[in-house]
Amino acid sequence: MRSSDDARKPVLLLVSLFLAGLLVSGLLLGMLLGKQTILKPISGGKVEPANAPLINPLKNSYIPLEGPWIVAIQPGHWKVEELPDELRRLRNSTGAEYDGLKEADINLRIAQLLVELVKAEGWTALLVPATVPPGLQADAFISIHADYGNGVHREGFKLSPPFRPSPASRRLATALETAFLQAAAEQKRPNGLSSIPQREHGSLAPDLWGSMGPPPKSPTLATVNMRGYFGFNYRRFEHSMSPYTPAVLIELGYLTNPTDRMRLTQFPAGYAKIILEGLRNYFREHHQRNEAFLTPPHYPWVEVTLPLAADSNGGKGAPVRVSPDPTGSLLWTLEPGTILLPVDEAGEWYEVFIRAKFATGWIRKVDTRPTTDPRWPLPGEVPNPSSSTAQ
Ligand SMILES: [Zn+2]
């Protein structure tokens, strides 16, 4: 037995080498093909290395981009069925659907229109599926969605940067929101009374929206699901953007509202033009390829301490309010020891994510202290079907 085994060794070695070679070339081919299907660089022509998107799996390292602005545009829920194993629970997250109308179809149509507008600016446009290339760095990442409302009355757009936004993400969100609000304001301005000269690219408003006008701002706040969107969640998922990519998730409107539904189906170009206008303003006035501007803040985990002074709640715990203001409505009173995740700050206040409530609120920093025991992970960091899906 031993002698025959010895005799086979060189043959086995050759076969193994051959198989290993096949495996390696297969993997390389797979990576190449995979890359092409995952990411579609769309620019004026061939993508040069200088303005190619940066796929940087080393997410904690900042690598400056070069060349024309790179805009990553993600039609929400597009190709969810191709999500990798780490996101397999979202493979059936096909988006909102109402009365035969699918959010995913609307998202894709508007994203494709936006790609054309971005290309016409001389920028690089990337159409990004649900599977975000690991550590994708771009100058802006916009995830486009439409919403489902409880009842027909909910109307309008809402948008949000991720939890713990970088200064850049915050600016991008503001620029986009301003573009939506300006479009609505222009629509309302009576003809002939405006002293503002028409801009070179033409007015944003009337003919783009028929008689219904651009969408109003939804009175509803951005949800935990929007801010903790899985495409933003670089802390947990490999297939997510780089922390250094300014990002915003937009809910364009409600499929369940008759006016929004008309806008979304009849006037998709209007939405694309508003988003482009927001991008123009952002790039012109704010954007810098500057590490400090692009870096999200770091907050420690905190735990609730006993309030120093008796509060309106009788001193039983620390008040969490709807806004960073002592007179803001009281949401909850939290017991000392409750561990919280700061997701934003304003002066002497933290906005905190409260796991047990699956919601956020504002707490005074003096009512907390840093802790090193993160018993509760970030939204999306525990298996929770509703924790990181935006509808
Ligand atoms: Zn959605």
Side-chain angles (χ1 to χ4, degrees):
M1 291 293 284
R2 176 164 293 185
S3 62
S4 65
D5 279 348
D6 286 345
R8 274 188 215 136
K9 266 183 184 166
V11 179
L12 282 173
L13 185 67
L14 279 175
V15 169
S16 307
L17 280 173
F18 177 71
L19 286 176
L22 272 184
L23 186 65
V24 167
S25 38
L27 279 175
L28 285 174
L29 190 66
M31 282 166 67
L32 206 62
L33 293 175
K35 190 176 170 186
Q36 282 173 352
T37 53
I38 285 172
L39 191 65
K40 293 185 173 174
I42 302 162
S43 63
K46 188 180 161 194
V47 177
E48 298 298 325
N51 66 357
L54 194 56
I55 297 173
N56 176 15
L58 301 170
K59 293 180 184 178
N60 293 325
S61 62
Y62 169 71
I63 300 173
L65 294 169
E66 293 172 16
W69 302 133
I70 299 169
V71 182
I73 300 160
Q74 184 186 56
H77 312 272
W78 186 45
K79 299 188 177 182
V80 279
E81 68 281 2
E82 295 177 9
L83 281 171
D85 279 353
E86 64 171 348
L87 290 159
R88 63 181 172 275
R89 68 190 169 84
L90 296 176
R91 279 179 194 150
N92 58 2
S93 168
T94 49
E97 201 172 333
Y98 181 75
D99 199 17
L101 192 59
K102 289 181 179 175
E103 170 199 352
D105 295 338
I106 289 168
N107 300 341
L108 181 59
R109 190 167 171 211
I110 292 171
Q112 286 170 333
L113 290 168
L114 182 58
V115 162
E116 294 308 315
L117 296 179
V118 164
K119 280 162 60 181
E121 296 290 309
W123 306 335
T124 300
L126 310 172
L127 197 60
V128 178
T131 305
V132 178
L136 177 69
Q137 262 187 258
D139 292 296
F141 175 35
I142 297 178
S143 190
I144 296 174
H145 293 255
D147 217 345
Y148 185 98
N150 295 322
V152 298
H153 58 284
R154 287 195 180 185
E155 180 187 359
F157 77 92
K158 56 186 172 179
L159 56 84
S160 175
F163 277 133
R164 294 196 248 191
S166 64
S169 287
R170 219 187 276 277
R171 288 283 194 181
L172 179 61
T174 303
L176 288 164
E177 181 162 311
T178 302
F180 273 93
L181 298 177
Q182 276 179 350
E186 283 182 23
Q187 174 84 350
K188 284 183 187 139
R189 194 176 299 133
N191 283 337
L193 292 180
S194 171
S195 60
I196 299 172
Q198 182 149 327
R199 281 171 285 179
E200 58 187 23
H201 53 273
S203 169
L204 275 173
D207 52 330
L208 284 173
W209 297 101
S211 60
M212 63 199 65
K217 182 180 176 180
S218 167
T220 314
L221 291 174
T223 62
V224 166
N225 286 342
M226 289 173 71
R227 300 168 73 193
Y229 181 60
F230 67 89
F232 298 164
N233 197 343
Y234 48 81
R235 298 172 194 86
R236 180 175 183 204
F237 300 118
E238 189 195 345
H239 295 83
S240 63
M241 64 174 205
S242 159
Y244 304 101
T245 297
V248 167
L249 188 147
I250 306 179
E251 294 281 4
L252 299 168
Y254 292 90
L255 302 183
T256 38
N257 177 269
T259 316
D260 270 349
R261 198 162 58 235
M262 191 84 84
R263 287 186 185 103
L264 291 164
T265 52
Q266 304 298 311
F267 303 100
Y271 289 97
K273 290 196 177 180
I274 289 179
I275 296 170
L276 178 74
E277 190 62 19
L279 285 168
R280 277 175 169 163
N281 291 340
Y282 170 72
F283 286 138
R284 188 169 53 234
E285 292 169 23
H286 304 295
H287 189 57
Q288 314 150 39
R289 283 169 171 167
N290 167 306
E291 186 169 1
F293 183 63
L294 298 171
T295 302
H298 174 76
Y299 306 124
W301 294 87
V302 297
E303 67 178 297
V304 175
T305 56
L306 256 185
L308 296 175
D311 208 282
S312 55
N313 55 64
K316 290 190 286 278
V320 173
R321 300 188 181 278
V322 75
S323 56
D325 178 346
T327 63
S329 301
L330 181 69
L331 290 172
W332 304 286
T333 301
L334 297 181
E335 289 180 10
T338 308
I339 290 186
L340 303 168
L341 179 74
V343 293
D344 205 349
E345 67 182 332
E348 296 307 305
W349 297 74
Y350 276 136
E351 186 186 15
V352 289
F353 176 71
I354 306 158
R355 184 79 187 86
K357 314 276 186 197
F358 203 74
T360 63
W362 291 86
I363 189 170
R364 287 177 306 188
K365 290 178 182 174
V366 294
D367 290 342
T368 70
R369 67 172 170 227
T371 178
T372 53
D373 179 22
R375 281 171 288 174
W376 289 340
L378 283 161
E381 287 189 345
V382 285
N384 180 333
S386 61
S387 66
S388 57
T389 52
Q391 285 280 303

